[in-house]
Protein backbone atom coordinates (compact mmCIF):
# COMPACT_ATOMS: atom_id res chain seq x y z
CA UNK A 1 0.00 0.00 0.00
CA UNK A 2 1.08 3.59 -0.66
CA UNK A 3 1.77 5.62 2.43
CA UNK A 4 -0.13 8.88 2.08
CA UNK A 5 1.04 12.09 3.57
CA UNK A 6 -1.43 14.57 5.09
CA UNK A 7 -3.01 16.84 2.49
CA UNK A 8 -3.17 20.50 3.26
CA UNK A 9 -3.26 23.70 1.27
CA UNK A 10 -0.85 26.49 2.18
CA UNK A 11 -2.17 30.03 1.28
CA UNK A 12 0.18 31.93 -0.94
CA UNK A 13 1.45 35.47 -0.47
CA UNK A 14 -0.39 36.56 -3.60
CA UNK A 15 -3.68 35.34 -2.17
CA UNK A 16 -3.25 37.37 0.96
CA UNK A 17 -2.79 40.48 -1.16
CA UNK A 18 -5.26 39.92 -3.98
CA UNK A 19 -7.14 36.84 -5.09
CA UNK A 20 -6.83 35.91 -8.77
CA UNK A 21 -9.89 36.11 -11.05
CA UNK A 22 -11.66 32.74 -11.07
CA UNK A 23 -14.88 31.29 -12.41
CA UNK A 24 -17.44 28.84 -11.07
CA UNK A 25 -18.11 27.50 -14.60
CA UNK A 26 -17.32 23.82 -15.08
CA UNK A 27 -14.28 22.69 -17.04
CA UNK A 28 -14.26 23.62 -20.74
CA UNK A 29 -11.47 21.94 -22.77
CA UNK A 30 -11.92 24.01 -25.93
CA UNK A 31 -9.48 26.72 -24.76
CA UNK A 32 -6.68 24.50 -23.36
CA UNK A 33 -4.48 24.70 -26.46
CA UNK A 34 -3.88 28.48 -26.50
CA UNK A 35 -1.00 28.19 -23.97
CA UNK A 36 1.37 25.22 -24.15
CA UNK A 37 3.47 24.14 -21.13
CA UNK A 38 7.01 22.93 -21.94
CA UNK A 39 9.59 20.80 -20.09
CA UNK A 40 7.19 19.63 -17.40
CA UNK A 41 8.85 16.99 -15.17
CA UNK A 42 7.06 13.84 -14.10
CA UNK A 43 7.93 14.72 -10.50
CA UNK A 44 9.58 17.59 -8.59
CA UNK A 45 11.71 17.16 -5.48
CA UNK A 46 10.02 18.63 -2.40
CA UNK A 47 11.79 21.59 -0.73
CA UNK A 48 13.00 23.17 -3.97
CA UNK A 49 11.66 25.93 -6.18
CA UNK A 50 9.81 24.99 -9.33
CA UNK A 51 10.12 26.80 -12.66
CA UNK A 52 7.17 26.57 -15.00
CA UNK A 53 7.90 27.03 -18.73
CA UNK A 54 5.10 27.87 -21.15
CA UNK A 55 4.62 29.12 -24.72
CA UNK A 56 2.01 31.59 -25.98
CA UNK A 57 0.40 30.57 -29.26
CA UNK A 58 0.24 32.93 -32.23
CA UNK A 59 -3.25 34.28 -31.72
CA UNK A 60 -3.31 34.45 -27.93
CA UNK A 61 -2.83 37.88 -26.32
CA UNK A 62 -2.00 37.88 -22.58
CA UNK A 63 -3.51 40.45 -20.22
CA UNK A 64 -2.47 42.03 -16.95
CA UNK A 65 -4.63 39.85 -14.66
CA UNK A 66 -3.63 36.47 -16.20
CA UNK A 67 -2.15 33.92 -13.79
CA UNK A 68 -0.72 30.36 -13.62
CA UNK A 69 -2.00 28.08 -10.88
CA UNK A 70 -1.11 24.62 -9.57
CA UNK A 71 -4.24 22.44 -9.51
CA UNK A 72 -4.75 18.96 -8.10
CA UNK A 73 -5.73 16.58 -10.91
CA UNK A 74 -9.49 16.15 -11.00
CA UNK A 75 -10.35 19.81 -10.43
CA UNK A 76 -13.63 21.10 -11.90
CA UNK A 77 -13.47 24.92 -11.64
CA UNK A 78 -10.68 27.47 -11.46
CA UNK A 79 -11.57 28.20 -7.86
CA UNK A 80 -9.90 24.93 -6.81
CA UNK A 81 -6.32 26.12 -7.31
CA UNK A 82 -3.67 25.23 -4.70
CA UNK A 83 -1.36 28.19 -5.30
CA UNK A 84 -0.76 30.66 -8.12
CA UNK A 85 1.64 33.21 -9.62
CA UNK A 86 0.88 36.28 -11.73
CA UNK A 87 2.24 36.15 -15.26
CA UNK A 88 4.61 38.77 -16.62
CA UNK A 89 3.37 40.61 -19.68
CA UNK A 90 5.87 40.50 -22.58
CA UNK A 91 7.18 43.79 -23.93
CA UNK A 92 6.88 42.89 -27.62
CA UNK A 93 4.25 40.32 -28.54
CA UNK A 94 5.56 39.99 -32.12
CA UNK A 95 9.09 38.81 -31.25
CA UNK A 96 9.82 35.06 -31.14
CA UNK A 97 11.55 35.28 -27.78
CA UNK A 98 8.43 36.74 -26.26
CA UNK A 99 6.51 33.56 -26.98
CA UNK A 100 8.64 31.60 -24.46
CA UNK A 101 7.70 32.63 -20.89
CA UNK A 102 8.29 31.28 -17.38
CA UNK A 103 7.23 31.76 -13.77
CA UNK A 104 8.89 30.62 -10.54
CA UNK A 105 7.05 28.97 -7.64
CA UNK A 106 8.79 29.18 -4.25
CA UNK A 107 9.20 25.88 -2.40
CA UNK A 108 7.45 27.22 0.66
CA UNK A 109 4.12 27.52 -1.22
CA UNK A 110 4.28 24.17 -3.06
CA UNK A 111 2.22 21.09 -2.04
CA UNK A 112 3.81 18.68 0.43
CA UNK A 113 1.90 15.54 -0.56
CA UNK A 114 2.48 13.14 -3.39
CA UNK A 115 -0.82 13.68 -5.24
CA UNK A 116 -0.83 14.42 -8.94
CA UNK A 117 -0.91 18.11 -9.88
CA UNK A 118 -0.76 20.13 -13.10
CA UNK A 119 -0.06 23.70 -14.23
CA UNK A 120 -2.99 25.70 -15.67
CA UNK A 121 -2.88 29.10 -17.40
CA UNK A 122 -5.99 31.15 -16.40
CA UNK A 123 -6.85 34.51 -18.01
CA UNK A 124 -8.36 37.50 -16.22
CA UNK A 125 -11.87 36.27 -17.06
CA UNK A 126 -11.29 33.05 -15.10
CA UNK A 127 -11.07 30.86 -18.25
CA UNK A 128 -8.35 28.15 -18.57
CA UNK A 129 -6.22 28.76 -21.67
CA UNK A 130 -3.73 25.89 -21.23
CA UNK A 131 -3.01 22.84 -18.98
CA UNK A 132 0.16 20.75 -18.47
CA UNK A 133 0.63 17.02 -18.05
CA UNK A 134 0.28 15.71 -14.46
CA UNK A 135 3.27 15.64 -12.12
CA UNK A 136 4.09 14.81 -8.49
CA UNK A 137 6.11 16.33 -5.66
CA UNK A 138 8.31 13.47 -4.34
CA UNK A 139 12.04 12.64 -3.95
CA UNK A 140 13.90 10.63 -6.55
CA UNK A 141 14.63 7.74 -4.15
CA UNK A 142 12.15 7.01 -1.42
CA UNK A 143 13.92 4.33 0.54
CA UNK A 144 11.94 4.81 3.71
CA UNK A 145 8.66 4.52 1.93
CA UNK A 146 7.39 1.22 0.77
CA UNK A 147 5.33 1.71 -2.32
CA UNK A 148 3.05 -1.15 -3.15
CA UNK A 149 1.14 -0.67 -6.34
CA UNK A 150 -1.80 -2.90 -6.85
CA UNK A 151 -3.12 -4.06 -10.17
CA UNK A 152 -6.18 -1.87 -9.68
CA UNK A 153 -4.05 1.21 -9.27
CA UNK A 154 -2.07 0.36 -12.39
CA UNK A 155 -5.24 -0.08 -14.37
CA UNK A 156 -6.52 3.21 -12.94
CA UNK A 157 -3.31 5.00 -14.01
CA UNK A 158 -3.47 3.46 -17.45
CA UNK A 159 -7.09 4.44 -17.80
CA UNK A 160 -6.22 7.97 -16.66
CA UNK A 161 -3.41 8.14 -19.21
CA UNK A 162 -5.78 6.93 -21.90
CA UNK A 163 -8.21 9.62 -20.95
CA UNK A 164 -5.44 12.18 -21.01
CA UNK A 165 -4.36 11.08 -24.48
CA UNK A 166 -7.90 11.25 -25.70
CA UNK A 167 -8.25 14.66 -24.10
CA UNK A 168 -4.99 15.73 -25.70
CA UNK A 169 -6.29 14.68 -29.14
CA UNK A 170 -9.51 16.55 -28.51
CA UNK A 171 -7.47 19.54 -27.49
CA UNK A 172 -5.46 19.32 -30.71
CA UNK A 173 -8.66 19.13 -32.76
CA UNK A 174 -10.09 22.03 -30.80
CA UNK A 175 -6.86 23.92 -31.33
CA UNK A 176 -7.10 23.43 -35.10
CA UNK A 177 -10.69 24.63 -35.05
CA UNK A 178 -9.75 27.54 -32.83
CA UNK A 179 -6.86 28.44 -35.11
CA UNK A 180 -9.22 28.51 -38.08
CA UNK A 181 -11.73 30.54 -36.06
CA UNK A 182 -8.91 32.79 -34.96
CA UNK A 183 -7.80 33.25 -38.57
CA UNK A 184 -11.34 34.13 -39.57
CA UNK A 185 -11.57 36.47 -36.61
CA UNK A 186 -8.25 38.05 -37.61
CA UNK A 187 -9.62 38.67 -41.10
CA UNK A 188 -12.79 40.06 -39.61
CA UNK A 189 -10.71 42.12 -37.21
CA UNK A 190 -8.69 43.50 -40.14
CA UNK A 191 -11.92 44.38 -41.89
CA UNK A 192 -13.20 46.02 -38.74
CA UNK A 193 -9.90 47.89 -38.42
CA UNK A 194 -10.32 49.23 -41.95
CA UNK A 195 -13.90 50.19 -41.20
CA UNK A 196 -12.70 51.81 -37.99
CA UNK A 197 -10.12 53.82 -39.89
CA UNK A 198 -12.80 54.89 -42.35
CA UNK A 199 -15.08 55.85 -39.47
CA UNK A 200 -12.24 57.74 -37.82
CA UNK A 201 -11.68 59.69 -41.05
CA UNK A 202 -15.40 60.41 -41.37
CA UNK A 203 -15.55 61.31 -37.70
CA UNK A 204 -12.61 63.70 -38.11
CA UNK A 205 -14.35 65.38 -41.03
CA UNK A 206 -17.57 65.58 -39.03
CA UNK A 207 -15.70 67.04 -36.06
CA UNK A 208 -14.15 69.66 -38.35
CA UNK A 209 -17.55 70.42 -39.81
CA UNK A 210 -19.09 70.60 -36.33
CA UNK A 211 -16.29 72.93 -35.22
CA UNK A 212 -16.89 75.17 -38.23
CA UNK A 213 -20.64 75.08 -37.61
CA UNK A 214 -20.06 75.86 -33.92
CA UNK A 215 -17.86 78.82 -34.83
CA UNK A 216 -20.54 80.01 -37.25
CA UNK A 217 -23.21 79.65 -34.59
CA UNK A 218 -21.10 81.49 -32.04
CA UNK A 219 -20.58 84.33 -34.53
CA UNK A 220 -24.29 84.43 -35.29
CA UNK A 221 -25.10 84.31 -31.56
CA UNK A 222 -22.74 87.24 -30.92
CA UNK A 223 -24.40 89.19 -33.75
CA UNK A 224 -27.84 88.41 -32.38
CA UNK A 225 -26.78 89.53 -28.89
CA UNK A 226 -25.51 92.84 -30.28
CA UNK A 227 -28.71 93.24 -32.27
CA UNK A 228 -30.76 92.41 -29.19
CA UNK A 229 -28.90 95.04 -27.16
CA UNK A 230 -29.47 97.58 -29.93
CA UNK A 231 -33.18 96.73 -30.09
CA UNK A 232 -33.42 96.95 -26.29
CA UNK A 233 -31.85 100.42 -26.39
CA UNK A 234 -34.22 101.51 -29.15
CA UNK A 235 -37.15 100.07 -27.21
CA UNK A 236 -36.12 102.15 -24.20
CA UNK A 237 -36.01 105.30 -26.32
CA UNK A 238 -39.31 104.43 -27.93
CA UNK A 239 -40.81 103.82 -24.50
CA UNK A 240 -39.78 107.30 -23.37
CA UNK A 241 -41.19 108.79 -26.59
CA UNK A 242 -44.44 106.83 -26.21
CA UNK A 243 -44.84 108.05 -22.64
CA UNK A 244 -44.27 111.62 -23.80
CA UNK A 245 -46.78 111.24 -26.66
CA UNK A 246 -49.31 109.70 -24.27
CA UNK A 247 -49.00 112.62 -21.94
CA UNK A 248 -49.40 115.09 -24.81
CA UNK A 249 -52.36 113.15 -26.15
CA UNK A 250 -53.93 113.05 -22.71
CA UNK A 251 -53.57 116.84 -22.41
CA UNK A 252 -55.13 117.32 -25.85
CA UNK A 253 -57.93 114.93 -25.02
CA UNK A 254 -58.53 116.68 -21.73
CA UNK A 255 -58.65 120.05 -23.50
CA UNK A 256 -60.96 118.63 -26.15
CA UNK A 257 -63.23 117.18 -23.48
CA UNK A 258 -63.41 120.56 -21.76
CA UNK A 259 -64.28 122.25 -25.05
CA UNK A 260 -66.89 119.61 -25.79
CA UNK A 261 -68.34 120.05 -22.32
CA UNK A 262 -68.61 123.79 -22.94
CA UNK A 263 -70.17 123.23 -26.36
CA UNK A 264 -72.47 120.65 -24.84
CA UNK A 265 -73.56 123.10 -22.17
CA UNK A 266 -74.16 125.77 -24.83
CA UNK A 267 -76.03 123.28 -27.01
CA UNK A 268 -78.05 122.12 -24.04
CA UNK A 269 -78.97 125.70 -23.20
CA UNK A 270 -79.87 126.44 -26.82
CA UNK A 271 -81.84 123.23 -27.05
CA UNK A 272 -83.72 124.16 -23.90
CA UNK A 273 -84.55 127.54 -25.37
CA UNK A 274 -85.73 125.89 -28.58
CA UNK A 275 -87.72 123.39 -26.53
CA UNK A 276 -89.41 126.24 -24.66
CA UNK A 277 -90.17 128.04 -27.92
CA UNK A 278 -91.48 124.83 -29.42
CA UNK A 279 -93.66 124.31 -26.40
CA UNK A 280 -95.10 127.83 -26.71
CA UNK A 281 -95.69 127.36 -30.43
CA UNK A 282 -97.27 123.96 -29.82
CA UNK A 283 -99.52 125.47 -27.18
CA UNK A 284 -100.59 128.32 -29.48
CA UNK A 285 -101.08 125.85 -32.34
CA UNK A 286 -103.31 123.73 -30.16
CA UNK A 287 -105.36 126.75 -29.19
CA UNK A 288 -105.69 127.79 -32.83
CA UNK A 289 -106.74 124.29 -33.80
CA UNK A 290 -109.45 124.38 -31.13
CA UNK A 291 -110.60 127.78 -32.33
CA UNK A 292 -110.68 126.55 -35.95
CA UNK A 293 -112.69 123.57 -34.90
CA UNK A 294 -115.23 125.76 -33.09
CA UNK A 295 -115.51 128.12 -36.06
CA UNK A 296 -115.91 125.20 -38.44
CA UNK A 297 -118.79 123.80 -36.40
CA UNK A 298 -120.36 127.25 -36.22
CA UNK A 299 -120.02 127.64 -39.97
CA UNK A 300 -121.73 124.30 -40.57
CA UNK A 301 -124.56 125.28 -38.23
CA UNK A 302 -125.04 128.60 -40.03
CA UNK A 303 -125.08 126.83 -43.39
CA UNK A 304 -127.80 124.50 -42.16
CA UNK A 305 -129.85 127.49 -40.93
CA UNK A 306 -129.30 129.26 -44.25
CA UNK A 307 -130.63 126.21 -46.10
CA UNK A 308 -133.74 126.23 -43.89
CA UNK A 309 -134.31 129.90 -44.58
CA UNK A 310 -133.92 129.33 -48.30
CA UNK A 311 -136.54 126.60 -48.24
CA UNK A 312 -138.87 128.76 -46.15
CA UNK A 313 -138.40 131.69 -48.51
CA UNK A 314 -139.19 129.49 -51.51
CA UNK A 315 -142.31 128.21 -49.82
CA UNK A 316 -143.52 131.73 -49.03
CA UNK A 317 -142.83 132.94 -52.57
CA UNK A 318 -144.74 130.01 -53.94
CA UNK A 319 -147.55 130.75 -51.61
CA UNK A 320 -147.66 134.40 -52.68
CA UNK A 321 -147.44 133.51 -56.36
CA UNK A 322 -144.11 135.18 -56.83
CA UNK A 323 -142.18 132.13 -57.88
CA UNK A 324 -142.69 133.09 -61.56
CA UNK A 325 -141.02 136.49 -61.21
CA UNK A 326 -137.75 136.95 -62.97
CA UNK A 327 -134.73 136.43 -60.80
CA UNK A 328 -132.78 139.62 -60.15
CA UNK A 329 -129.49 139.95 -58.56
CA UNK A 330 -129.48 143.08 -56.42
CA UNK A 331 -126.45 145.27 -56.50
CA UNK A 332 -124.68 146.66 -53.55
CA UNK A 333 -125.82 150.22 -54.19
CA UNK A 334 -129.53 149.20 -54.11
CA UNK A 335 -129.32 148.63 -50.40
CA UNK A 336 -130.18 144.96 -50.66
CA UNK A 337 -126.68 143.61 -50.04
CA UNK A 338 -126.71 140.42 -48.11
CA UNK A 339 -130.48 139.76 -48.91
CA UNK A 340 -132.02 137.02 -50.99
CA UNK A 341 -132.97 138.53 -54.42
CA UNK A 342 -136.03 136.29 -54.61
CA UNK A 343 -137.70 137.98 -51.63
CA UNK A 344 -139.87 141.06 -52.24
CA UNK A 345 -139.51 142.38 -48.82
CA UNK A 346 -136.09 141.06 -48.13
CA UNK A 347 -134.80 138.27 -45.88
CA UNK A 348 -135.93 139.03 -42.37
CA UNK A 349 -133.05 136.85 -41.01
CA UNK A 350 -130.31 138.29 -43.10
CA UNK A 351 -129.30 140.83 -40.47
CA UNK A 352 -129.20 138.21 -37.83
CA UNK A 353 -127.20 135.83 -40.02
CA UNK A 354 -124.67 138.42 -41.04
CA UNK A 355 -124.25 139.72 -37.51
CA UNK A 356 -124.11 136.33 -35.80
CA UNK A 357 -121.87 134.43 -38.31
CA UNK A 358 -118.27 134.82 -37.26
CA UNK A 359 -115.71 135.56 -39.89
CA UNK A 360 -113.51 132.47 -40.63
CA UNK A 361 -109.80 133.10 -40.20
CA UNK A 362 -107.79 132.38 -43.31
CA UNK A 363 -105.38 129.38 -43.12
CA UNK A 364 -101.89 129.08 -44.58
CA UNK A 365 -99.81 126.00 -45.38
CA UNK A 366 -96.35 125.52 -43.80
CA UNK A 367 -93.90 125.31 -46.74
CA UNK A 368 -91.85 122.58 -44.92
CA UNK A 369 -94.27 120.24 -43.15
CA UNK A 370 -97.45 121.29 -45.12
CA UNK A 371 -99.45 121.74 -41.90
CA UNK A 372 -102.24 124.39 -41.60
CA UNK A 373 -101.36 127.50 -39.64
CA UNK A 374 -103.68 130.51 -39.14
CA UNK A 375 -102.67 133.59 -41.06
CA UNK A 376 -102.77 135.92 -38.08
CA UNK A 377 -99.97 134.01 -36.30
CA UNK A 378 -97.97 133.13 -39.37
CA UNK A 379 -95.59 136.02 -39.26
CA UNK A 380 -91.86 135.78 -40.11
CA UNK A 381 -90.63 135.18 -36.53
CA UNK A 382 -93.08 132.36 -35.85
CA UNK A 383 -92.28 130.84 -39.22
CA UNK A 384 -88.58 130.67 -38.29
CA UNK A 385 -89.39 129.17 -34.87
CA UNK A 386 -91.69 126.62 -36.47
CA UNK A 387 -89.02 125.61 -39.00
CA UNK A 388 -86.37 125.27 -36.25
CA UNK A 389 -88.52 122.70 -34.47
CA UNK A 390 -88.38 120.53 -37.62
CA UNK A 391 -84.53 120.36 -37.70
CA UNK A 392 -81.69 119.42 -35.34
CA UNK A 393 -78.49 121.48 -35.70
CA UNK A 394 -75.05 120.13 -34.59
CA UNK A 395 -73.73 122.44 -31.83
CA UNK A 396 -70.13 121.90 -33.06
CA UNK A 397 -70.18 122.07 -36.86
CA UNK A 398 -73.77 123.51 -37.33
CA UNK A 399 -74.73 120.62 -39.65
CA UNK A 400 -78.54 120.23 -39.92
CA UNK A 401 -80.46 116.98 -39.53
CA UNK A 402 -84.16 116.23 -39.84
CA UNK A 403 -86.04 115.77 -36.58
CA UNK A 404 -86.87 112.26 -37.78
CA UNK A 405 -83.09 111.47 -37.88
CA UNK A 406 -82.54 111.97 -34.17
CA UNK A 407 -80.35 108.84 -33.76
CA UNK A 408 -78.10 109.89 -36.68
CA UNK A 409 -77.83 113.39 -35.15
CA UNK A 410 -76.76 111.94 -31.74
CA UNK A 411 -74.15 109.65 -33.39
CA UNK A 412 -72.79 112.64 -35.33
CA UNK A 413 -72.36 114.74 -32.17
CA UNK A 414 -70.74 111.75 -30.38
CA UNK A 415 -68.10 111.43 -33.13
CA UNK A 416 -66.83 114.95 -32.30
CA UNK A 417 -65.62 113.64 -28.91
CA UNK A 418 -62.79 111.60 -30.56
Amino acid sequence: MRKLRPKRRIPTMEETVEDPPTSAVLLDHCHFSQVIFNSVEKFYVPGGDVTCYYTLTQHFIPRRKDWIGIFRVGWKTTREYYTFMWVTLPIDLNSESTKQQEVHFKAYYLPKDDEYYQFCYVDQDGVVRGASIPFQFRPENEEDILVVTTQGEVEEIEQHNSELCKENQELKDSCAILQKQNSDMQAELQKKQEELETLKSVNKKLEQKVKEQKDSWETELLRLKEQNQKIASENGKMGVRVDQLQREQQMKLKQTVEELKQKEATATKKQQELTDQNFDLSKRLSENKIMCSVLQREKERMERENDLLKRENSRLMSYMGLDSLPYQIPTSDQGGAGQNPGLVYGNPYSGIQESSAPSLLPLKKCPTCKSDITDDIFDHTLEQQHIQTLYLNCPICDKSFSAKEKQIFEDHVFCHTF
Side-chain angles (χ1 to χ4, degrees):
M1 297 295 293
R2 178 186 297 177
K3 184 178 179 181
L4 301 178
R5 297 177 180 177
K7 301 177 181 179
R8 63 192 180 92
R9 179 177 181 276
I10 301 174
T12 64
M13 182 182 297
E14 289 81 358
E15 288 182 292
T16 59
V17 177
E18 181 182 2
D19 291 334
T22 59
S23 174
V25 180
L26 295 177
L27 181 65
D28 186 3
H29 299 284
C30 65
H31 303 292
F32 282 16
S33 61
Q34 296 182 359
V35 178
I36 300 173
F37 290 93
N38 306 316
S39 304
V40 179
E41 303 290 340
K42 293 182 178 180
F43 62 91
Y44 294 94
V45 178
D49 297 341
V50 174
T51 302
C52 174
Y53 301 95
Y54 62 94
T55 302
L56 302 176
T57 59
Q58 180 181 1
H59 303 297
F60 178 74
I61 300 176
R63 290 181 288 179
R64 187 175 61 85
K65 288 291 185 177
D66 293 356
W67 54 282
I68 294 178
I70 297 177
F71 290 80
R72 182 177 295 169
V73 174
W75 59 274
K76 299 297 183 182
T77 67
T78 55
R79 292 182 177 179
E80 301 176 20
Y81 68 92
Y82 185 89
T83 186
F84 79 97
M85 289 293 294
W86 297 108
V87 299
T88 303
L89 293 179
I91 300 175
D92 186 7
L93 293 176
N94 296 323
S95 65
E96 190 63 26
S97 60
T98 303
K99 303 296 182 181
Q100 302 295 330
Q101 300 291 322
E102 62 182 41
V103 292
H104 299 278
F105 289 92
K106 297 295 183 181
Y108 178 79
Y109 300 108
L110 296 177
K112 301 297 188 291
D113 55 22
D114 57 355
E115 294 293 328
Y116 283 93
Y117 292 89
Q118 63 181 148
F119 299 114
C120 291
Y121 188 104
V122 185
D123 65 10
Q124 66 179 18
D125 296 325
V127 179
V128 177
R129 300 295 179 176
S132 70
I133 62 174
F135 57 85
Q136 289 179 295
F137 293 94
R138 64 180 178 83
E140 294 183 3
N141 296 317
E142 294 183 343
E143 298 179 354
D144 57 339
I145 299 176
L146 178 63
V147 178
V148 178
T149 304
T150 64
Q151 183 67 27
E153 290 178 345
V154 171
E155 292 177 354
E156 181 181 355
I157 292 172
E158 291 178 352
Q159 182 180 0
H160 184 67
N161 288 334
S162 177
E163 291 177 354
L164 289 176
C165 291
K166 183 179 179 181
E167 180 180 343
N168 187 33
Q169 184 63 35
E170 291 177 353
L171 290 175
K172 289 181 179 179
D173 296 338
S174 299
C175 181
I177 295 173
L178 289 174
Q179 286 179 352
K180 185 177 183 305
Q181 292 179 351
N182 189 47
S183 178
D184 296 338
M185 291 181 66
Q186 287 291 335
E188 183 69 19
L189 180 61
Q190 182 66 26
K191 183 178 178 181
K192 295 295 183 182
Q193 287 287 347
E194 294 176 357
E195 294 179 356
L196 180 61
E197 293 297 328
T198 304
L199 290 176
K200 286 182 178 179
S201 177
V202 173
N203 186 42
K204 186 176 181 181
K205 293 180 181 179
L206 289 176
E207 289 178 352
Q208 182 66 25
K209 187 175 181 180
V210 167
K211 185 177 182 301
E212 294 175 356
Q213 188 67 31
K214 183 179 178 182
D215 296 339
S216 176
W217 286 346
E218 289 178 352
T219 304
E220 182 67 16
L221 180 61
L222 181 60
R223 187 186 67 81
L224 290 175
K225 285 183 178 179
E226 294 177 354
Q227 184 177 0
N228 188 27
Q229 292 177 356
K230 184 177 179 181
I231 292 174
S233 178
E234 292 179 354
N235 285 339
K237 295 179 181 179
M238 290 296 294
V240 175
R241 180 58 180 168
V242 167
D243 292 339
Q244 183 179 359
L245 291 176
Q246 284 180 352
R247 288 193 296 269
E248 293 177 356
Q249 189 68 20
Q250 287 178 355
M251 294 178 63
K252 290 182 180 179
L253 288 175
K254 185 176 180 181
Q255 183 178 359
T256 303
V257 169
E258 293 295 333
E259 293 177 356
L260 289 176
K261 286 182 179 180
Q262 294 178 1
K263 289 183 179 180
E264 183 181 4
T266 304
T268 303
K269 182 178 180 182
K270 185 175 182 180
Q271 184 179 4
Q272 185 62 38
E273 292 176 356
L274 293 175
T275 302
D276 296 340
Q277 292 179 4
N278 188 28
F279 178 75
D280 294 338
L281 291 174
S282 298
K283 183 178 180 182
R284 292 180 63 183
L285 180 61
S286 299
E287 293 175 353
N288 289 335
K289 285 182 178 180
I290 294 172
M291 185 179 292
C292 287
S293 177
V294 172
L295 293 176
Q296 185 67 25
R297 288 196 298 271
E298 185 65 22
K299 176 185 177 183
E300 292 174 356
R301 187 183 64 80
M302 294 299 293
E303 289 178 351
R304 288 194 298 272
E305 290 181 357
N306 189 26
D307 291 338
L308 291 175
L309 289 175
K310 285 181 180 181
R311 288 195 295 271
E312 183 65 22
N313 186 27
S314 297
R315 187 183 66 79
L316 290 175
M317 289 181 67
S318 177
Y319 177 77
M320 296 177 63
L322 300 177
D323 53 350
S324 60
L325 293 176
Y327 181 75
Q328 297 180 357
I329 298 176
T331 60
S332 58
D333 55 352
Q334 293 177 352
Q339 296 184 357
N340 194 329
L343 297 180
V344 177
Y345 300 101
N347 186 1
Y349 299 99
S350 61
I352 299 173
Q353 182 180 359
E354 293 175 357
S355 61
S356 61
S359 59
L360 295 176
L361 297 175
L363 298 178
K364 189 174 182 179
K365 293 287 186 179
C366 176
T368 302
C369 63
K370 305 303 181 180
S371 60
D372 295 331
I373 303 177
T374 55
D375 192 23
D376 59 340
I377 65 171
F378 199 79
D379 56 10
H380 180 70
T381 303
L382 295 179
E383 180 182 4
Q384 293 295 328
Q385 294 176 353
H386 176 71
I387 291 174
Q388 289 178 356
T389 58
L390 302 177
Y391 292 94
L392 298 174
N393 295 326
C394 177
I396 298 174
C397 65
D398 294 332
K399 186 176 181 180
S400 297
F401 295 86
S402 174
K404 298 178 181 180
E405 301 175 340
K406 184 177 180 182
Q407 184 62 43
I408 298 176
F409 167 75
E410 292 178 353
D411 294 341
H412 172 78
V413 175
F414 181 74
C415 288
H416 283 292
T417 61
F418 294 99

